[in-house]
Amino acid sequence: MEILGIDVGGTGIKGALVAIKTGELTTEKHRIPTPNPATPEAVANTIQELINHFKWKGLVGCGFPTPLQHGKCLSGGNLHKDWKGTQVDALFTSKTGNNFFIVNDADAAGLAEISFGAGKNVKGVVIMITLGTGIGSGLFLDGKLLPNTEFGHVLYKNGEIFEKYASDSARKRDGLTRKEWGKRLHKYFKHIKLIISPDLIIIGGGASKKLEKFEGQINVDVPIVSAQAQNEAGIIGAAMAAKHQIK
Ligand code: BGC
């Protein structure tokens, strides 16, 4: 069985067909830059373009990069303020005629890793953290997702959230060296350890490719590993969420 997996990101909207049993992509990935401004209408048009590219008539699982509850966007976050209150699945379904299933992007990435990657068969508390434009989280207990957690939004100081301090976009904004970013990530993961005592932390997003560069800098006494599917985890997990109707 195949499902079209789509990953809506701050800079690109990517999709591919996914074989649900193995978690493998059965087509090339197709990427379209995220429209700017990323209003609901503009993003829905891009989603339609992706559907056209794959000539897909069927179920679509879509990872979405904002706080969500049952497919409804609770805050526009890094996309656009007009998303707040939008029932995202209904919007994309009415635009494309395809049945859409919406899941948070970091939950999707975590689902892929728990099923096929770095978190496979790991018991206990596993947290997936994605470091990109934002910081996203996916929290699992014995392989089961607790959806819609927002651990990038834990407060750092002066009312500022950790996402604004330790994400990849914070690194770019502040022109941080690898060492300076490593220090911030160390503080962040120390805090995550304190509040949820995970057995394993999986890092996804752009930074996951360069995890070895932080060797010795992040010391939190919890195993930290890179996502195995890296940038494809979001697509694979979105398709899996649709299959299992997890939200
Ligand atoms: C959003 C999360 C999302 C993360 C990564 C954050 O700003 O609040 O929902 O998972 O960015 O895209």
Side-chain angles (χ1 to χ4, degrees), residues 11-15 30-35 45-47 49-50 53:
T11 56
I13 300 182
K14 295 161 278 181
H30 187 65
R31 179 185 189 277
I32 302 176
T34 306
N45 286 336
T46 307
I47 295 285
E49 265 184 66
L50 267 182
H53 172 86

Side-chain angles (χ1 to χ4, degrees), residues 127-150:
I127 186 161
M128 170 95 202
I129 297 281
T130 59
L131 300 170
T133 311
I135 293 184
S137 60
L139 186 62
F140 296 82
L141 174 62
D142 295 339
K144 196 165 180 338
L145 175 68
L146 172 69
N148 302 321
T149 60
E150 287 286 343

Side-chain angles (χ1 to χ4, degrees), residues 64-67 77-78 104-106 130 134-137 150 153 163:
F64 202 75
T66 70
N78 295 315
N104 172 261
D105 59 349
T130 59
I135 293 184
S137 60
E150 287 286 343
H153 282 244
E163 171 174 292

